[in-house]
Amino acid sequence: MFDFNWQTPATLKDGSTVILRYPTVDDAEKLQYFINPIVKEDTFILLNEDQTLNQEKAYLANIISMMHQKTAIKICGYAENKIVAAADVTRYLYKQNHVGRLGISISQEYRGMGLGKILMTEMLKQAKDILGLKMIELTCYADNLAGQRLYTSLGFVEYGRVPGAIFYKGKYVDQLNFYKEL
């Protein structure tokens, strides 16, 4: 069962603190202000268009519903009353319901401070303990060397490559597939 009041502080490399907690429906505007600059930056996420407030409200309502059903977890990092990081794990269905897919995004100004590792470590723990997952999968752009270092440092293993699966900055980039047993 989720304790929707759960939160925990995360101390970053520079000594600052980010609070990790589950989002609420009231966080839609904060989530919109978090994701749209990352979309504009055109970094290593698949989303390629700004999200409206209504889209974020619908997304949050859906993910919170999935959390109640124990088919997903979403954790956001909050600093100075804004979202600076977000990660989620979504359970696959049917004969793969022991496996989940993980995604993570971090605001540009919070990258390289250890937040990704802290957030992913917490996500993996909760995916195992709350959702009962046995395995996590994720995908990564072949150009995302920092992401690849993070994932392998946490025990993820690359198991495949899809050539040219992502159109990124005017060229086709390979998608790398990773998994980790929990």
Side-chain angles (χ1 to χ4, degrees):
M1 185 67 146
F2 277 100
D3 172 6
F4 282 92
N5 295 313
W6 169 86
Q7 66 178 20
T8 190
T11 303
L12 307 184
K13 290 178 182 177
D14 68 352
S16 64
T17 300
V18 170
I19 301 298
L20 302 182
R21 70 168 173 84
Y22 305 128
T24 68
V25 292
D26 296 332
D27 289 326
E29 191 171 2
K30 290 178 186 171
L31 197 58
Q32 180 190 25
Y33 286 127
F34 162 72
I35 199 62
N36 285 344
I38 295 173
V39 170
K40 282 181 183 57
E41 180 188 350
D42 195 20
T43 191
F44 301 113
I45 63 171
L46 293 177
L47 194 59
N48 63 358
E49 56 187 43
D50 282 350
Q51 299 299 289
T52 67
L53 185 55
N54 284 338
Q55 286 173 313
E56 290 302 323
K57 286 178 179 179
Y59 168 76
L60 274 176
N62 184 54
I63 198 85
I64 290 168
S65 173
M66 292 174 71
M67 289 174 70
H68 282 287
Q69 298 168 36
K70 289 182 124 181
T71 58
I73 297 173
K74 182 161 192 85
I75 298 175
C76 294
Y78 295 79
E80 301 172 18
N81 203 31
K82 65 179 186 174
I83 295 175
V84 298
D88 56 71
V89 169
T90 304
R91 176 192 302 275
Y92 290 147
L93 300 174
Y94 311 115
K95 292 183 179 180
Q96 285 189 305
N97 72 357
H98 63 288
V99 180
R101 174 168 294 278
L102 186 143
I104 184 169
S105 299
I106 299 177
S107 293
Q108 188 173 29
E109 65 270 22
Y110 280 84
R111 293 181 201 145
M113 299 174 69
L115 181 55
K117 189 167 197 167
I118 293 167
L119 183 54
M120 283 193 64
T121 299
E122 184 62 39
M123 287 299 305
L124 294 171
K125 178 183 180 307
Q126 291 195 24
K128 180 180 180 181
D129 295 347
I130 296 174
L131 298 183
L133 297 179
K134 306 290 183 208
M135 183 182 298
I136 297 291
E137 291 184 331
L138 60 82
T139 61
C140 180
Y141 290 43
D143 291 0
N144 185 353
L145 301 179
Q148 292 172 55
R149 283 191 300 274
L150 172 61
Y151 307 144
T152 56
S153 78
L154 291 169
F156 281 85
V157 176
E158 182 183 336
Y159 70 89
R161 175 183 292 256
V162 183
I166 303 164
F167 189 71
Y168 178 62
K169 296 192 176 187
K171 64 179 182 170
Y172 292 97
V173 177
D174 294 356
Q175 172 184 292
L176 306 181
N177 301 314
F178 288 85
Y179 77 95
K180 177 181 174 67
E181 292 184 26
L182 301 178

PDB file of all heavy atoms in Angstrom, residues 104-130:
ATOM      1  N   ILE A 104      13.290   8.515 -16.506  1.00  0.00           N
ATOM      2  CA  ILE A 104      13.775   9.545 -15.591  1.00  0.00           C
ATOM      3  C   ILE A 104      14.145  10.796 -16.380  1.00  0.00           C
ATOM      4  O   ILE A 104      14.645  10.700 -17.504  1.00  0.00           O
ATOM      5  CB  ILE A 104      14.991   9.037 -14.771  1.00  0.00           C
ATOM      6  CG1 ILE A 104      15.440  10.085 -13.751  1.00  0.00           C
ATOM      7  CG2 ILE A 104      16.112   8.576 -15.668  1.00  0.00           C
ATOM      8  CD1 ILE A 104      16.448   9.562 -12.737  1.00  0.00           C
ATOM      9  N   SER A 105      13.886  11.956 -15.777  1.00  0.00           N
ATOM     10  CA  SER A 105      14.280  13.249 -16.345  1.00  0.00           C
ATOM     11  C   SER A 105      14.733  14.150 -15.209  1.00  0.00           C
ATOM     12  O   SER A 105      14.145  14.119 -14.125  1.00  0.00           O
ATOM     13  CB  SER A 105      13.110  13.935 -17.057  1.00  0.00           C
ATOM     14  OG  SER A 105      12.629  13.164 -18.115  1.00  0.00           O
ATOM     15  N   ILE A 106      15.753  14.945 -15.491  1.00  0.00           N
ATOM     16  CA  ILE A 106      16.281  15.874 -14.485  1.00  0.00           C
ATOM     17  C   ILE A 106      16.490  17.231 -15.145  1.00  0.00           C
ATOM     18  O   ILE A 106      17.017  17.317 -16.260  1.00  0.00           O
ATOM     19  CB  ILE A 106      17.602  15.344 -13.884  1.00  0.00           C
ATOM     20  CG1 ILE A 106      17.333  14.004 -13.198  1.00  0.00           C
ATOM     21  CG2 ILE A 106      18.213  16.346 -12.910  1.00  0.00           C
ATOM     22  CD1 ILE A 106      18.547  13.324 -12.630  1.00  0.00           C
ATOM     23  N   SER A 107      16.085  18.288 -14.446  1.00  0.00           N
ATOM     24  CA  SER A 107      16.301  19.651 -14.952  1.00  0.00           C
ATOM     25  C   SER A 107      17.793  19.879 -15.173  1.00  0.00           C
ATOM     26  O   SER A 107      18.636  19.395 -14.412  1.00  0.00           O
ATOM     27  CB  SER A 107      15.792  20.684 -13.944  1.00  0.00           C
ATOM     28  OG  SER A 107      14.412  20.627 -13.823  1.00  0.00           O
ATOM     29  N   GLN A 108      18.090  20.655 -16.191  1.00  0.00           N
ATOM     30  CA  GLN A 108      19.479  20.891 -16.581  1.00  0.00           C
ATOM     31  C   GLN A 108      20.341  21.369 -15.411  1.00  0.00           C
ATOM     32  O   GLN A 108      21.457  20.900 -15.227  1.00  0.00           O
ATOM     33  CB  GLN A 108      19.522  21.907 -17.721  1.00  0.00           C
ATOM     34  CG  GLN A 108      20.893  22.082 -18.317  1.00  0.00           C
ATOM     35  CD  GLN A 108      20.865  22.972 -19.548  1.00  0.00           C
ATOM     36  OE1 GLN A 108      20.019  23.851 -19.676  1.00  0.00           O
ATOM     37  NE2 GLN A 108      21.791  22.750 -20.452  1.00  0.00           N
ATOM     38  N   GLU A 109      19.817  22.288 -14.597  1.00  0.00           N
ATOM     39  CA  GLU A 109      20.622  22.850 -13.508  1.00  0.00           C
ATOM     40  C   GLU A 109      20.870  21.872 -12.366  1.00  0.00           C
ATOM     41  O   GLU A 109      21.689  22.139 -11.483  1.00  0.00           O
ATOM     42  CB  GLU A 109      19.999  24.148 -12.976  1.00  0.00           C
ATOM     43  CG  GLU A 109      18.647  23.983 -12.306  1.00  0.00           C
ATOM     44  CD  GLU A 109      17.458  24.109 -13.248  1.00  0.00           C
ATOM     45  OE1 GLU A 109      17.602  23.926 -14.469  1.00  0.00           O
ATOM     46  OE2 GLU A 109      16.358  24.386 -12.748  1.00  0.00           O
ATOM     47  N   TYR A 110      20.201  20.705 -12.377  1.00  0.00           N
ATOM     48  CA  TYR A 110      20.384  19.712 -11.316  1.00  0.00           C
ATOM     49  C   TYR A 110      21.114  18.460 -11.799  1.00  0.00           C
ATOM     50  O   TYR A 110      21.298  17.520 -11.036  1.00  0.00           O
ATOM     51  CB  TYR A 110      19.033  19.347 -10.683  1.00  0.00           C
ATOM     52  CG  TYR A 110      18.593  20.387  -9.696  1.00  0.00           C
ATOM     53  CD1 TYR A 110      17.929  21.535 -10.130  1.00  0.00           C
ATOM     54  CD2 TYR A 110      18.870  20.255  -8.347  1.00  0.00           C
ATOM     55  CE1 TYR A 110      17.540  22.515  -9.235  1.00  0.00           C
ATOM     56  CE2 TYR A 110      18.491  21.227  -7.438  1.00  0.00           C
ATOM     57  CZ  TYR A 110      17.828  22.351  -7.893  1.00  0.00           C
ATOM     58  OH  TYR A 110      17.462  23.324  -6.983  1.00  0.00           O
ATOM     59  N   ARG A 111      21.555  18.461 -13.041  1.00  0.00           N
ATOM     60  CA  ARG A 111      22.303  17.307 -13.563  1.00  0.00           C
ATOM     61  C   ARG A 111      23.740  17.330 -13.049  1.00  0.00           C
ATOM     62  O   ARG A 111      24.306  18.387 -12.805  1.00  0.00           O
ATOM     63  CB  ARG A 111      22.294  17.311 -15.087  1.00  0.00           C
ATOM     64  CG  ARG A 111      20.916  17.071 -15.631  1.00  0.00           C
ATOM     65  CD  ARG A 111      20.894  17.052 -17.149  1.00  0.00           C
ATOM     66  NE  ARG A 111      19.519  17.323 -17.575  1.00  0.00           N
ATOM     67  CZ  ARG A 111      19.193  18.001 -18.641  1.00  0.00           C
ATOM     68  NH1 ARG A 111      20.120  18.478 -19.445  1.00  0.00           N
ATOM     69  NH2 ARG A 111      17.928  18.218 -18.925  1.00  0.00           N
ATOM     70  N   GLY A 112      24.305  16.155 -12.889  1.00  0.00           N
ATOM     71  CA  GLY A 112      25.690  16.030 -12.445  1.00  0.00           C
ATOM     72  C   GLY A 112      25.872  16.239 -10.950  1.00  0.00           C
ATOM     73  O   GLY A 112      26.999  16.341 -10.471  1.00  0.00           O
ATOM     74  N   MET A 113      24.768  16.270 -10.203  1.00  0.00           N
ATOM     75  CA  MET A 113      24.844  16.520  -8.756  1.00  0.00           C
ATOM     76  C   MET A 113      24.502  15.278  -7.936  1.00  0.00           C
ATOM     77  O   MET A 113      24.359  15.358  -6.722  1.00  0.00           O
ATOM     78  CB  MET A 113      23.903  17.671  -8.392  1.00  0.00           C
ATOM     79  CG  MET A 113      24.284  18.970  -9.092  1.00  0.00           C
ATOM     80  SD  MET A 113      23.099  20.298  -8.816  1.00  0.00           S
ATOM     81  CE  MET A 113      23.362  20.636  -7.093  1.00  0.00           C
ATOM     82  N   GLY A 114      24.334  14.139  -8.609  1.00  0.00           N
ATOM     83  CA  GLY A 114      24.023  12.903  -7.900  1.00  0.00           C
ATOM     84  C   GLY A 114      22.546  12.628  -7.738  1.00  0.00           C
ATOM     85  O   GLY A 114      22.159  11.587  -7.211  1.00  0.00           O
ATOM     86  N   LEU A 115      21.697  13.533  -8.205  1.00  0.00           N
ATOM     87  CA  LEU A 115      20.253  13.370  -8.032  1.00  0.00           C
ATOM     88  C   LEU A 115      19.725  12.183  -8.833  1.00  0.00           C
ATOM     89  O   LEU A 115      18.860  11.441  -8.355  1.00  0.00           O
ATOM     90  CB  LEU A 115      19.521  14.654  -8.425  1.00  0.00           C
ATOM     91  CG  LEU A 115      17.999  14.664  -8.277  1.00  0.00           C
ATOM     92  CD1 LEU A 115      17.575  14.292  -6.863  1.00  0.00           C
ATOM     93  CD2 LEU A 115      17.444  16.026  -8.678  1.00  0.00           C
ATOM     94  N   GLY A 116      20.243  11.968 -10.032  1.00  0.00           N
ATOM     95  CA  GLY A 116      19.792  10.845 -10.847  1.00  0.00           C
ATOM     96  C   GLY A 116      20.011   9.520 -10.145  1.00  0.00           C
ATOM     97  O   GLY A 116      19.116   8.661 -10.107  1.00  0.00           O
ATOM     98  N   LYS A 117      21.175   9.351  -9.561  1.00  0.00           N
ATOM     99  CA  LYS A 117      21.486   8.093  -8.865  1.00  0.00           C
ATOM    100  C   LYS A 117      20.610   7.918  -7.631  1.00  0.00           C
ATOM    101  O   LYS A 117      20.085   6.834  -7.372  1.00  0.00           O
ATOM    102  CB  LYS A 117      22.965   8.057  -8.477  1.00  0.00           C
ATOM    103  CG  LYS A 117      23.414   6.718  -7.966  1.00  0.00           C
ATOM    104  CD  LYS A 117      24.920   6.634  -7.891  1.00  0.00           C
ATOM    105  CE  LYS A 117      25.345   5.198  -7.790  1.00  0.00           C
ATOM    106  NZ  LYS A 117      26.781   5.038  -8.015  1.00  0.00           N
ATOM    107  N   ILE A 118      20.422   9.004  -6.881  1.00  0.00           N
ATOM    108  CA  ILE A 118      19.571   8.940  -5.685  1.00  0.00           C
ATOM    109  C   ILE A 118      18.139   8.588  -6.075  1.00  0.00           C
ATOM    110  O   ILE A 118      17.514   7.697  -5.482  1.00  0.00           O
ATOM    111  CB  ILE A 118      19.611  10.284  -4.919  1.00  0.00           C
ATOM    112  CG1 ILE A 118      21.000  10.527  -4.333  1.00  0.00           C
ATOM    113  CG2 ILE A 118      18.546  10.314  -3.828  1.00  0.00           C
ATOM    114  CD1 ILE A 118      21.228  11.955  -3.835  1.00  0.00           C
ATOM    115  N   LEU A 119      17.612   9.261  -7.075  1.00  0.00           N
ATOM    116  CA  LEU A 119      16.228   9.052  -7.499  1.00  0.00           C
ATOM    117  C   LEU A 119      16.036   7.643  -8.069  1.00  0.00           C
ATOM    118  O   LEU A 119      15.067   6.957  -7.743  1.00  0.00           O
ATOM    119  CB  LEU A 119      15.828  10.119  -8.522  1.00  0.00           C
ATOM    120  CG  LEU A 119      14.401  10.109  -9.036  1.00  0.00           C
ATOM    121  CD1 LEU A 119      13.371  10.135  -7.916  1.00  0.00           C
ATOM    122  CD2 LEU A 119      14.184  11.289  -9.986  1.00  0.00           C
ATOM    123  N   MET A 120      16.959   7.197  -8.899  1.00  0.00           N
ATOM    124  CA  MET A 120      16.833   5.852  -9.475  1.00  0.00           C
ATOM    125  C   MET A 120      16.955   4.779  -8.401  1.00  0.00           C
ATOM    126  O   MET A 120      16.246   3.769  -8.450  1.00  0.00           O
ATOM    127  CB  MET A 120      17.864   5.641 -10.576  1.00  0.00           C
ATOM    128  CG  MET A 120      17.465   6.337 -11.855  1.00  0.00           C
ATOM    129  SD  MET A 120      18.425   5.839 -13.273  1.00  0.00           S
ATOM    130  CE  MET A 120      17.996   4.116 -13.448  1.00  0.00           C
ATOM    131  N   THR A 121      17.845   4.974  -7.438  1.00  0.00           N
ATOM    132  CA  THR A 121      17.984   4.000  -6.346  1.00  0.00           C
ATOM    133  C   THR A 121      16.673   3.865  -5.584  1.00  0.00           C
ATOM    134  O   THR A 121      16.230   2.752  -5.268  1.00  0.00           O
ATOM    135  CB  THR A 121      19.135   4.410  -5.409  1.00  0.00           C
ATOM    136  OG1 THR A 121      20.356   4.440  -6.171  1.00  0.00           O
ATOM    137  CG2 THR A 121      19.281   3.444  -4.254  1.00  0.00           C
ATOM    138  N   GLU A 122      16.036   4.991  -5.302  1.00  0.00           N
ATOM    139  CA  GLU A 122      14.742   4.959  -4.605  1.00  0.00           C
ATOM    140  C   GLU A 122      13.668   4.307  -5.471  1.00  0.00           C
ATOM    141  O   GLU A 122      12.854   3.519  -4.980  1.00  0.00           O
ATOM    142  CB  GLU A 122      14.315   6.373  -4.195  1.00  0.00           C
ATOM    143  CG  GLU A 122      13.043   6.417  -3.380  1.00  0.00           C
ATOM    144  CD  GLU A 122      13.119   5.701  -2.045  1.00  0.00           C
ATOM    145  OE1 GLU A 122      14.164   5.779  -1.367  1.00  0.00           O
ATOM    146  OE2 GLU A 122      12.116   5.049  -1.664  1.00  0.00           O
ATOM    147  N   MET A 123      13.663   4.608  -6.764  1.00  0.00           N
ATOM    148  CA  MET A 123      12.676   4.003  -7.663  1.00  0.00           C
ATOM    149  C   MET A 123      12.828   2.489  -7.712  1.00  0.00           C
ATOM    150  O   MET A 123      11.845   1.751  -7.670  1.00  0.00           O
ATOM    151  CB  MET A 123      12.814   4.572  -9.075  1.00  0.00           C
ATOM    152  CG  MET A 123      12.334   5.992  -9.259  1.00  0.00           C
ATOM    153  SD  MET A 123      10.587   6.267  -8.899  1.00  0.00           S
ATOM    154  CE  MET A 123       9.803   5.097  -9.951  1.00  0.00           C
ATOM    155  N   LEU A 124      14.062   2.014  -7.795  1.00  0.00           N
ATOM    156  CA  LEU A 124      14.306   0.570  -7.858  1.00  0.00           C
ATOM    157  C   LEU A 124      13.851  -0.111  -6.573  1.00  0.00           C
ATOM    158  O   LEU A 124      13.246  -1.189  -6.602  1.00  0.00           O
ATOM    159  CB  LEU A 124      15.785   0.290  -8.125  1.00  0.00           C
ATOM    160  CG  LEU A 124      16.295   0.746  -9.492  1.00  0.00           C
ATOM    161  CD1 LEU A 124      17.806   0.614  -9.567  1.00  0.00           C
ATOM    162  CD2 LEU A 124      15.619  -0.036 -10.611  1.00  0.00           C
ATOM    163  N   LYS A 125      14.124   0.524  -5.443  1.00  0.00           N
ATOM    164  CA  LYS A 125      13.703  -0.020  -4.146  1.00  0.00           C
ATOM    165  C   LYS A 125      12.184  -0.123  -4.085  1.00  0.00           C
ATOM    166  O   LYS A 125      11.626  -1.161  -3.713  1.00  0.00           O
ATOM    167  CB  LYS A 125      14.235   0.856  -3.022  1.00  0.00           C
ATOM    168  CG  LYS A 125      13.820   0.424  -1.626  1.00  0.00           C
ATOM    169  CD  LYS A 125      14.338   1.416  -0.589  1.00  0.00           C
ATOM    170  CE  LYS A 125      13.960   1.044   0.819  1.00  0.00           C
ATOM    171  NZ  LYS A 125      12.538   0.809   1.048  1.00  0.00           N
ATOM    172  N   GLN A 126      11.498   0.947  -4.454  1.00  0.00           N
ATOM    173  CA  GLN A 126      10.042   0.937  -4.381  1.00  0.00           C
ATOM    174  C   GLN A 126       9.415   0.015  -5.431  1.00  0.00           C
ATOM    175  O   GLN A 126       8.381  -0.608  -5.177  1.00  0.00           O
ATOM    176  CB  GLN A 126       9.492   2.355  -4.498  1.00  0.00           C
ATOM    177  CG  GLN A 126       9.807   3.199  -3.278  1.00  0.00           C
ATOM    178  CD  GLN A 126       8.987   4.453  -3.202  1.00  0.00           C
ATOM    179  OE1 GLN A 126       7.906   4.554  -3.763  1.00  0.00           O
ATOM    180  NE2 GLN A 126       9.495   5.437  -2.463  1.00  0.00           N
ATOM    181  N   ALA A 127      10.035  -0.087  -6.596  1.00  0.00           N
ATOM    182  CA  ALA A 127       9.523  -1.001  -7.624  1.00  0.00           C
ATOM    183  C   ALA A 127       9.525  -2.435  -7.104  1.00  0.00           C
ATOM    184  O   ALA A 127       8.590  -3.198  -7.343  1.00  0.00           O
ATOM    185  CB  ALA A 127      10.354  -0.888  -8.896  1.00  0.00           C
ATOM    186  N   LYS A 128      10.551  -2.768  -6.364  1.00  0.00           N
ATOM    187  CA  LYS A 128      10.656  -4.111  -5.781  1.00  0.00           C
ATOM    188  C   LYS A 128       9.725  -4.263  -4.577  1.00  0.00           C
ATOM    189  O   LYS A 128       8.946  -5.214  -4.493  1.00  0.00           O
ATOM    190  CB  LYS A 128      12.096  -4.383  -5.372  1.00  0.00           C
ATOM    191  CG  LYS A 128      12.305  -5.744  -4.752  1.00  0.00           C
ATOM    192  CD  LYS A 128      13.750  -5.976  -4.372  1.00  0.00           C
ATOM    193  CE  LYS A 128      13.919  -7.352  -3.756  1.00  0.00           C
ATOM    194  NZ  LYS A 128      15.315  -7.590  -3.353  1.00  0.00           N
ATOM    195  N   ASP A 129       9.812  -3.327  -3.637  1.00  0.00           N
ATOM    196  CA  ASP A 129       9.105  -3.464  -2.363  1.00  0.00           C
ATOM    197  C   ASP A 129       7.608  -3.194  -2.466  1.00  0.00           C
ATOM    198  O   ASP A 129       6.812  -3.853  -1.799  1.00  0.00           O
ATOM    199  CB  ASP A 129       9.700  -2.523  -1.309  1.00  0.00           C
ATOM    200  CG  ASP A 129      11.139  -2.866  -0.951  1.00  0.00           C
ATOM    201  OD1 ASP A 129      11.611  -3.971  -1.312  1.00  0.00           O
ATOM    202  OD2 ASP A 129      11.796  -2.028  -0.310  1.00  0.00           O
ATOM    203  N   ILE A 130       7.195  -2.214  -3.263  1.00  0.00           N
ATOM    204  CA  ILE A 130       5.780  -1.836  -3.328  1.00  0.00           C
ATOM    205  C   ILE A 130       5.069  -2.535  -4.487  1.00  0.00           C
ATOM    206  O   ILE A 130       3.986  -3.087  -4.315  1.00  0.00           O
ATOM    207  CB  ILE A 130       5.616  -0.303  -3.423  1.00  0.00           C
ATOM    208  CG1 ILE A 130       6.141   0.348  -2.141  1.00  0.00           C
ATOM    209  CG2 ILE A 130       4.153   0.068  -3.674  1.00  0.00           C
ATOM    210  CD1 ILE A 130       6.165   1.861  -2.164  1.00  0.00           C
TER     211      ILE A 130
END
